[in-house]
Amino acid sequence: NVKTASGGTVTGTATGAGQYGGGINTVAENGATVIYIGANVTGNRYSAIYTQAINGATTINLVANATGNTHGILSKASGSGNITVTTGTGGTVTGTTKDGIQTEAVNGATVINLGANVTGGQSGIFSEATGTGGITVTTGTGGTVTGTTENGIETVAVDGATTINLGADVTGATKGISSDTSGTGTTSIIIGSGSTVTGGSQAIYAKTKTGDV
């Protein structure tokens, strides 16, 4: 477990941990990973927060700011591991050259709950589930999402269900929301009152193979 108190700072330099590390970097083979961040985290070369797990669950709770030269948060789970990312209201998550938040899961569920503003140099949020894992993205009223050169929110799933529930604005240079499901998974996109979705080419793009939209 990793826990930082509020008011502090964590900074990873160019000689920091791991290929994708920078600020905080964790690797777990079978155990659970729990990260609670009350301090601002910066990855000067790579990601502000990087986690990699095999069969264990990953939980990231951020109530401060996370800024990475590549990703703000990058979380990977192979096997059956679940990924849960929660950001508090008033914070920011920034991936300068890549995605603000990127998650990659296989058969585990991915849940992203946003209260913070998220900005990516590519997509604001990119979430991929390559097996049976489902994806749920929920934004609160203060959690705007911006993709500077690609999509605001992009999800890629196979047989798991995708649910996107917006309470804030989403903006993408190409698509505001892009959701692609290549197997039996269903897709549900709910736009709350007062929320706007803006894309350079399309506001919302949703595609499934056999599941409902």
Side-chain angles (χ1 to χ4, degrees):
N1 293 0
V2 178
K3 182 176 182 178
T4 67
S6 60
T9 60
V10 177
T11 302
T13 65
T15 58
Q19 179 181 3
Y20 294 101
I24 294 174
N25 183 21
T26 67
V27 178
E29 186 168 345
N30 290 307
T33 299
V34 179
I35 299 176
Y36 177 88
I37 306 297
N40 295 330
V41 182
T42 302
N44 284 337
R45 184 172 181 181
Y46 298 116
S47 303
I49 300 170
Y50 171 76
T51 67
Q52 180 178 348
I54 297 178
N55 291 314
T58 299
T59 302
I60 301 170
N61 193 335
L62 176 71
V63 294
N65 303 319
T67 303
N69 184 52
T70 53
H71 305 84
I73 297 173
L74 174 57
S75 184
K76 298 182 177 183
S78 57
S80 58
N82 299 326
I83 298 173
T84 302
V85 178
T86 303
T87 66
T89 303
T92 61
V93 179
T94 305
T96 304
T97 60
K98 294 192 176 180
D99 304 321
I101 297 174
Q102 178 175 329
T103 64
E104 301 175 11
V106 181
N107 294 318
T110 299
V111 177
I112 301 172
N113 294 311
L114 294 184
N117 296 324
V118 177
T119 302
Q122 294 178 346
S123 292
I125 296 172
F126 175 82
S127 184
E128 180 179 29
T130 58
T132 59
I135 299 171
T136 301
V137 179
T138 303
T139 69
T141 55
T144 62
V145 182
T146 303
T148 305
T149 61
E150 295 185 9
N151 304 308
I153 297 175
E154 180 176 357
T155 63
V156 179
V158 181
D159 293 323
T162 298
T163 301
I164 300 172
N165 194 338
L166 299 184
D169 296 341
V170 175
T171 304
T174 53
K175 300 178 180 69
I177 296 173
S178 175
S179 181
D180 193 330
T181 303
S182 60
T184 60
T186 60
T187 299
S188 175
I189 299 174
I190 302 167
I191 312 298
S193 61
S195 302
T196 61
V197 180
T198 306
S201 61
Q202 291 176 291
I204 299 174
Y205 169 84
K207 175 186 176 182
T208 63
K209 185 175 181 180
T210 60
D212 295 333
V213 176

